[in-house]
Amino acid sequence: MKELAVSSHAQRALIKLLVKNGLLEPKDIEQFPDNDSCPISYFARRGRFNESEAIKAVAKALGIPITTVDKHNLARIVHTLEHPLFAKFAASRWRELRAVPVDMGDAYVVVAMANPLDHDAKSALEFDLGREVRISIAQEDQIQALLADKMNASALFDLDSLMGEKKNEEDQKITDIQKQESSIFQGDASSAPIVRLVNKIFSDAVQHGASDIHLTPDKDKVAVRIRVDGIIQHLFDIPQQAHAAVLTRIKLLCGMDIAERRKPQDGRLRIKTALGAKDLRVSVLPTVHGENVVARILSSDLTLSSFSSLGVPADVEKHLLRNLSGSSKVILVTGPTGSGKTSTLYAGLLHLHDGKNNIITIEDPIEYRIQGVNQIQVNPKIGMTFAETLRSVLRQDPDVVMVGEIRDKETASTAMQVAQTGHLVLSTLHTNSAPAAITRLRDLGIPSYLIASSVGSVVAQRLVRRLCDCCVPAEGPVLERCKELGLPTDQVKQAKGCDQCAHSGFKGRVGIFSFLDFSEPIIEAIRQDASEAEIARLARESGYRTLEESGLAFVQQGVTSIDELERTLGVIDLESMKRNGAAIVSRAHVSGPVEPQRSSGPLGKRKILLVEDEENTRTVLSMLFQREHFEVIEATNGVEGLDCVYQYGPELIVCDLMMPKMNGLEMVQKLKNDSRTREIPVIVLTAADDEKNELSLIGGGADDFVSKTTDSKIMMARVHRLLGRAG
């Protein structure tokens, strides 16, 4: 039988197809790692697009069907997989190929593949099977879950027999455990029952997309629970009698002391899974019913972690990149535990990791390992605290220093001093909002003048669950709550639930961000010991938005639900937001039209919103408009563009026709269907003038359209004409 593998050129071909459909950028072809991952699931996990929508686009482009592996056709697929024709194909080989046979006829076989452009694998299958292979496309996670269950069928553990074993046999198994490797593939049925039990715990958690595993002992059982998208879910129970053996296995894998049961212990473990290598950060803590285990699951892959892949809005990313390009400042990321602060810091480090900077991190613990970065694990037992290590790091000639967390006055003070000596410092702080970081630093004993001169910016963030594709328009109490907050309800949704999201209504998470830039007015206010409210008021003049405002924008766009937002942030106080001048309330959530906003001063500049995903074109047009004394607001796609309309109230919009997430025509239609924005004139940029474009744009409500190759004088003449018509 020929060896099957996912070829690298097939992966690149699929990426090019995603680029052609506007789902990725050309640079992603080179940034994709050289492995057998499926590009669709790889980029979807990084927030670049919705996986289901990408699969639909690929299927349409290739003219192939979509296979959904769910309860409705699971029996048929399993029956096909068990056909004698496939006896020579082990489940592990199908898993490497990321494919599974789903149907067959007398002369053909239908194979669902995560990458339908892998023609080499298709040819090899036809050679080995002696039949025509017809391709369909399916989600990689669904394929892998089905095959993992198939492999697990021969490796199930028997807890009853385990409980009946004698003590000396259990001792022998502990010796055998030490010989096992840290792989959680469950295909070895000869492994000791406890080994298979621990493997199942880890395997099931990874397959469910969990971020944490909890083994919680009780009087007569141990509950195995996982945290998925921030919510704890019950997986299964194991008998209390197996608790000690399971703990021993986990401790051995993590390098802990198996004899120590009275003190907390921490350890690390790297495991191999069907979804790639995962790092586990394990904590063991004694409780009244025995030792409690919590394992944080971390992906070892950071190759494409960036602000955009984390869902950072374009305007926040722009400010962050500007701050990262400087020095002599502290950049703080704030939020509670589990809000994604560390991921944001690592995205900043990867942006700075260009070979020209000496980067040193001080962490507790080190969550991800980055090649070429000096990473230090603090150890308070021997005096290596954050503050003490930070002082020692200065003698290592760093350009950038990341401090995992500012917890006390000594660390905070030292971080400020490091910034004062010309270094860029990145760190986290536990506060509820960006302005609250200033109050927190004051509470730690840092004087206001030092905060004002040392801190460059603060990012506050939270993670909210993203609505599944199956969700429906809001109704009932959810709809009423949205109306109370003044939300336009044409796109607002509520969770419904399906097999793909385990009937939760949510699949994956997205970040909401609030960015506070330390402009001169803010710096002066901090020096004068201004309150959080006063700082927030001043910051609004330069575009500051609260977490509530950012979250409501996502609710309005149907990204998340109002229930999920209030679960994360607490009940939203609309009156308080109005008193504080929240932009999203005063513009996006009132019944009247969005009023154009002028810059401060007697002759404020007129605002133009430029929505263009191609960076070079956006830069050229922005310079052209600025030269004509317009204030230019930039966005990179239609979704961001709509957000900017409600936030800034531009007098004219210039948007590209072909854009990711939401194209120009869709954006125009949404604006014209909203009574508050339909009077704002819109010019659409097209690649070429033709009748088809003209008819579709005029029919969609565009006020004018201009080819990107049009002379700049003609462009400005049309801009001034529309602005004059708008008054």
Side-chain angles (χ1 to χ4, degrees), residues 103 106 166 188 315 319 365 367 453 487 577 634:
D103 202 357
D106 293 337
K166 297 180 181 179
D188 184 7
D315 56 337
H319 289 304
E367 295 197 3
S453 61
L487 287 173
M577 292 179 67
E634 296 182 12

Side-chain angles (χ1 to χ4, degrees), residues 321-585:
L321 293 178
R322 189 188 73 245
N323 277 265
L324 288 170
S325 65
S327 61
S328 304
K329 292 293 180 182
V330 177
I331 298 177
L332 295 173
V333 183
T334 72
T337 300
S339 60
K341 301 187 299 297
T342 303
S343 296
T344 301
L345 284 185
Y346 273 101
L349 289 182
L350 290 176
H351 173 76
L352 294 167
H353 187 28
D354 55 4
K356 300 178 182 178
N357 293 307
N358 180 23
I359 303 175
I360 300 178
T361 72
I362 307 169
E363 306 174 65
D364 183 24
I366 298 173
E367 295 197 3
Y368 301 99
R369 289 171 172 81
I370 307 176
Q371 187 174 1
V373 173
N374 299 305
Q375 296 177 269
I376 302 170
Q377 169 73 54
V378 301
N379 189 349
K381 295 180 180 178
I382 60 174
M384 284 188 63
T385 62
F386 276 115
E388 188 61 36
T389 307
L390 188 53
R391 280 191 287 267
S392 300
V393 157
L394 291 179
R395 294 189 285 272
Q396 296 288 314
D397 187 31
D399 296 297
V400 181
V401 180
M402 187 191 92
V403 182
E405 182 183 344
I406 292 178
R407 301 173 178 173
D408 50 48
K409 178 181 179 180
E410 189 178 13
T411 305
S413 179
T414 307
M416 303 296 157
Q417 293 169 12
V418 171
Q420 291 285 324
T421 55
H423 304 84
L424 179 64
V425 180
L426 312 180
S427 190
T428 67
L429 202 62
H430 283 185
T431 65
N432 290 327
S433 67
I438 299 165
T439 303
R440 174 62 176 155
L441 290 173
R442 287 171 178 163
D443 291 343
L444 289 175
I446 308 301
S448 294
Y449 74 86
L450 188 56
I451 299 173
S453 61
S454 302
V455 180
S457 59
V458 181
V459 180
Q461 69 179 83
R462 296 290 191 280
L463 291 176
V464 295
R465 291 182 293 169
R466 187 191 293 271
L467 283 166
C468 178
D469 293 338
C470 69
C471 292
V472 297
E475 58 183 18
V478 174
L479 183 62
E480 293 304 316
R481 179 57 178 152
C482 291
K483 289 180 178 179
E484 287 177 15
L485 295 171
L487 287 173
T489 57
D490 55 328
Q491 294 186 71
V492 172
K493 296 181 181 180
Q494 67 185 65
K496 177 185 177 183
C498 65
D499 291 339
Q500 299 304 314
C501 60
H503 297 280
S504 67
F506 299 92
K507 192 173 184 181
R509 288 191 289 179
V510 63
I512 53 175
F513 297 85
S514 174
F515 182 83
L516 176 63
D517 195 10
F518 278 36
S519 60
E520 284 302 322
I522 299 297
I523 292 173
E524 184 57 34
I526 294 172
R527 287 198 182 102
Q528 300 299 323
D529 291 327
S531 65
E532 291 179 26
E534 177 63 16
I535 292 170
R537 186 189 66 78
L538 289 171
R540 286 197 180 280
E541 298 178 4
S542 56
Y544 168 75
R545 291 192 301 169
T546 64
L547 289 168
E548 288 81 4
E549 293 172 65
S550 298
L552 285 173
F554 276 156
V555 173
Q556 179 183 329
Q557 296 162 16
V559 176
T560 190
S561 70
I562 187 64
D563 291 342
E564 171 64 11
L565 182 65
E566 295 194 321
R567 181 192 70 82
T568 305
L569 298 179
V571 177
I572 295 174
D573 186 347
L574 182 61
E575 293 303 317
S576 176
M577 292 179 67
K578 288 180 178 179
R579 287 194 302 270
N580 293 327
I584 198 165
V585 173

Side-chain angles (χ1 to χ4, degrees), residues 150-389:
K150 177 67 176 175
M151 294 178 69
N152 292 347
S154 62
L156 295 176
F157 52 87
D158 186 351
L159 287 178
D160 292 335
S161 63
L162 175 66
M163 295 303 101
E165 290 171 351
K166 297 180 181 179
K167 182 68 172 63
N168 61 345
E169 292 174 334
E170 292 177 350
D171 292 341
Q172 181 61 42
K173 286 189 177 65
I174 293 175
T175 303
D176 294 338
I177 287 172
Q178 296 173 341
K179 301 176 183 179
Q180 301 294 324
E181 293 188 2
S182 57
S183 171
I184 67 167
F185 289 123
Q186 300 184 45
D188 184 7
S190 63
S191 299
I194 283 295
V195 174
R196 300 203 302 274
L197 173 54
V198 173
N199 287 354
K200 178 175 176 61
I201 292 171
F202 290 161
S203 177
D204 285 4
V206 172
Q207 289 176 30
H208 281 81
S211 61
D212 299 88
I213 305 170
H214 292 249
L215 272 65
T216 306
D218 204 342
K219 183 178 180 180
D220 55 357
K221 64 183 179 180
V222 178
V224 179
R225 301 181 298 166
I226 57 176
R227 186 180 296 275
V228 180
D229 295 335
I231 304 297
I232 289 283
Q233 300 179 8
H234 185 267
L235 207 55
F236 53 81
D237 294 326
I238 60 177
Q240 177 63 251
Q241 300 95 307
H243 186 207
V246 168
L247 271 172
T248 299
R249 168 65 175 164
I250 293 175
K251 287 181 177 180
L252 284 170
L253 289 175
C254 298
M256 299 181 189
D257 183 357
I258 63 173
E260 180 57 70
R261 299 179 181 177
R262 300 169 299 169
K263 296 180 180 179
Q265 294 190 70
D266 296 314
R268 295 185 67 94
L269 168 66
R270 172 164 288 189
I271 58 177
K272 299 176 183 178
T273 78
L275 300 177
K278 303 291 181 182
D279 288 321
L280 267 61
R281 191 181 74 197
V282 183
S283 171
V284 177
L285 182 70
T287 68
V288 66
H289 292 297
E291 292 175 279
N292 188 78
V293 179
V294 176
R296 170 65 57 88
I297 303 174
L298 305 167
S299 174
S300 60
D301 183 11
L302 277 174
T303 55
L304 269 183
S305 288
S306 62
F307 293 126
S308 58
S309 68
L310 295 175
V312 178
D315 56 337
V316 175
E317 181 179 357
K318 180 180 178 181
H319 289 304
L320 268 174
L321 293 178
R322 189 188 73 245
N323 277 265
L324 288 170
S325 65
S327 61
S328 304
K329 292 293 180 182
V330 177
I331 298 177
L332 295 173
V333 183
T334 72
T337 300
S339 60
K341 301 187 299 297
T342 303
S343 296
T344 301
L345 284 185
Y346 273 101
L349 289 182
L350 290 176
H351 173 76
L352 294 167
H353 187 28
D354 55 4
K356 300 178 182 178
N357 293 307
N358 180 23
I359 303 175
I360 300 178
T361 72
I362 307 169
E363 306 174 65
D364 183 24
I366 298 173
E367 295 197 3
Y368 301 99
R369 289 171 172 81
I370 307 176
Q371 187 174 1
V373 173
N374 299 305
Q375 296 177 269
I376 302 170
Q377 169 73 54
V378 301
N379 189 349
K381 295 180 180 178
I382 60 174
M384 284 188 63
T385 62
F386 276 115
E388 188 61 36
T389 307

